[in-house]
Amino acid sequence: IPSGHMVNLDSASSGAQLASTALRCEVGMRNTGVINSENPPSLYKTLTDTIQCPVPLKKAKLAMMSYIYGSTAEPEKAFGDDVELFYQGATEVAPRACIFRDIAINAWQPFKDFHQWVMPNGNTVHKRVWQTIDTRVQVPNLDSRSFTFRHKVNKGKEFSVSLAADIVHSIDALFASEMSARSNYDPVVLQSLLKRLECVTEAPSDRTKMCSLDTVVHIGEDLSKYDNNYLAQAKELIEYTLAYKPFPIMVTHDDFGCHPNNTQRMREHYNRLLWELYHSNIIQDILEQVTGVRYDQFPLDPVLADKILDANYPLN
């Protein structure tokens, strides 16, 4: 009996997962399900097992998740005197995610009113800096009585850890947009575009720039305006997308839901996005836009990359 039930799958430790994949970290990828291990992934259990510290998983999760996003308060609250043990364990179970955390924190631009970067789908992330200030207000008609008004203003400050979370969340948002675009696409638009791309015969030679279906559908009639590698990526992406019928999908941050009949394809879309993320230099591109400095990327392992496509539990 049709019930209308949707299957919802959640990405495994999405912050550490995305950072580990973007920085091509085999250890972090294995511990967050991006590549298969013996058991379904549990980054937080792996953490507590590694340091042999009997902290409840709920507390370990909050500590690790918050730490990747720049916090030290939550790890100290959860682990107390054993917090140094936690830091050691975090660098063991997700080493490059921790490296990214430190780099992103140090990328903060002192006293700038905002940080801004452009994503592969053309969206601009504009993160304003907010400070809470107190303004003393005196009321002449009430015997000069006064009160303090606490409010937020868009004003730069010397330091904050927020870029560690903001950059990862912008990739989260990119994944949400692409999952929706690739699942619930317009077949007429894509088939028409694929016909115009028949002249593209070469495979992509460079995957360091992620290709977004949201931008591909806007390719104009004059193909000479576009880079050959981009057109090759676009054709490949369209062919991949058209290989399965369109279907509705519901996305809430890193939670993805669809009809049970389409769940396998939804998982394949997510795995392919992780595969594309692994090949890309998106973290380096974002950091360069924020700081003006080009950071080095870790080397690519094609064999490891292909294992992503067959992973069982990136979404679970």
Side-chain angles (χ1 to χ4, degrees):
I1 299 173
S3 67
H5 173 74
M6 270 196 313
V7 173
N8 283 76
L9 299 177
D10 199 68
S11 62
S13 310
S14 64
Q17 182 189 77
L18 295 178
S20 295
T21 305
L23 270 65
R24 302 170 182 168
C25 176
E26 181 173 358
V27 174
M29 291 164 64
R30 194 175 300 279
N31 287 332
T32 57
V34 180
I35 52 177
N36 286 331
S37 57
E38 292 182 6
N39 300 305
S42 175
L43 178 66
Y44 315 115
K45 187 176 187 306
T46 303
L47 169 68
T48 55
D49 288 349
T50 298
I51 63 178
Q52 297 184 335
C53 190
V55 171
L57 281 183
K58 190 173 182 179
K59 287 188 175 182
K61 175 181 179 178
L62 184 57
M64 184 66 182
M65 182 174 61
S66 301
Y67 179 68
I68 293 297
Y69 291 148
S71 171
T72 55
E74 289 299 335
E76 289 170 0
K77 189 187 302 182
F79 286 85
D81 294 339
D82 292 324
V83 70
E84 291 300 326
L85 198 61
F86 163 81
Y87 294 143
Q88 178 184 335
T91 59
E92 289 185 34
V93 300
R96 292 185 191 170
C98 293
I99 289 173
F100 163 75
R101 170 196 183 275
D102 294 340
I103 292 173
I105 288 173
N106 290 325
W108 182 264
Q109 302 299 291
F111 304 111
K112 282 196 68 173
D113 291 342
F114 64 89
H115 296 83
Q116 182 171 294
W117 57 94
V118 180
M119 299 298 291
N121 58 1
N123 288 342
T124 297
V125 179
H126 184 85
K127 293 293 297 185
R128 287 187 285 179
V129 180
W130 295 95
Q131 289 204 54
T132 300
I133 65 170
D134 291 339
T135 302
R136 189 173 181 82
V137 179
Q138 199 167 41
V139 186
N141 295 335
L142 292 176
D143 300 327
S144 296
R145 293 178 184 178
S146 63
F147 64 91
T148 300
F149 176 52
R150 175 164 291 178
H151 56 112
K152 290 186 176 181
V153 295
N154 177 203
K155 182 181 179 182
K157 53 186 172 183
E158 185 173 6
F159 179 74
S160 172
V161 302
S162 63
L163 282 178
D166 291 339
I167 292 174
V168 173
H169 286 155
S170 69
I171 300 175
D172 263 320
L174 174 66
F175 269 46
S177 176
E178 285 298 302
M179 287 287 285
S180 181
R182 298 180 187 197
S183 299
N184 202 13
Y185 64 90
D186 185 333
V188 175
V189 171
L190 290 194
Q191 286 163 359
S192 173
L193 184 52
L194 183 60
K195 191 171 183 178
R196 285 196 281 125
L197 293 174
E198 285 178 349
C199 58
V200 179
T201 57
E202 296 181 1
S205 58
D206 181 3
R207 299 186 185 276
T208 55
K209 305 293 183 185
M210 288 185 72
C211 189
S212 165
L213 195 65
D214 279 332
T215 59
V216 163
V217 295
H218 296 295
I219 290 177
E221 294 290 336
D222 185 0
L223 298 184
S224 65
K225 295 180 179 179
Y226 302 93
D227 177 81
N228 289 337
N229 186 74
Y230 174 72
L231 293 177
Q233 282 185 289
K235 183 181 179 183
E236 181 184 76
L237 178 54
I238 292 170
E239 289 174 336
Y240 165 78
T241 305
L242 284 170
Y244 191 87
K245 64 183 180 181
F247 59 93
I249 184 173
M250 187 178 77
V251 182
T252 307
H253 188 52
D254 61 353
D255 177 273
F256 305 91
C258 68
H259 189 280
N261 289 356
N262 302 316
T263 305
Q264 175 59 19
R265 187 58 171 181
M266 182 176 74
R267 294 174 62 247
E268 290 170 358
H269 281 319
Y270 191 81
N271 284 18
R272 183 177 173 88
L273 278 166
L274 288 171
W275 180 80
E276 293 173 16
L277 178 65
Y278 180 89
H279 283 85
S280 79
N281 289 337
I282 188 171
I283 290 286
Q284 290 71 24
D285 292 342
I286 291 173
L287 288 170
E288 185 175 13
Q289 290 180 70
V290 171
T291 66
V293 176
R294 186 69 186 179
Y295 290 79
D296 293 333
Q297 170 63 298
F298 290 97
L300 185 147
D301 181 346
V303 175
L304 183 65
D306 288 345
K307 289 181 180 179
I308 298 172
L309 298 174
D310 297 323
N312 293 325
Y313 296 111
L315 291 180
N316 60 62

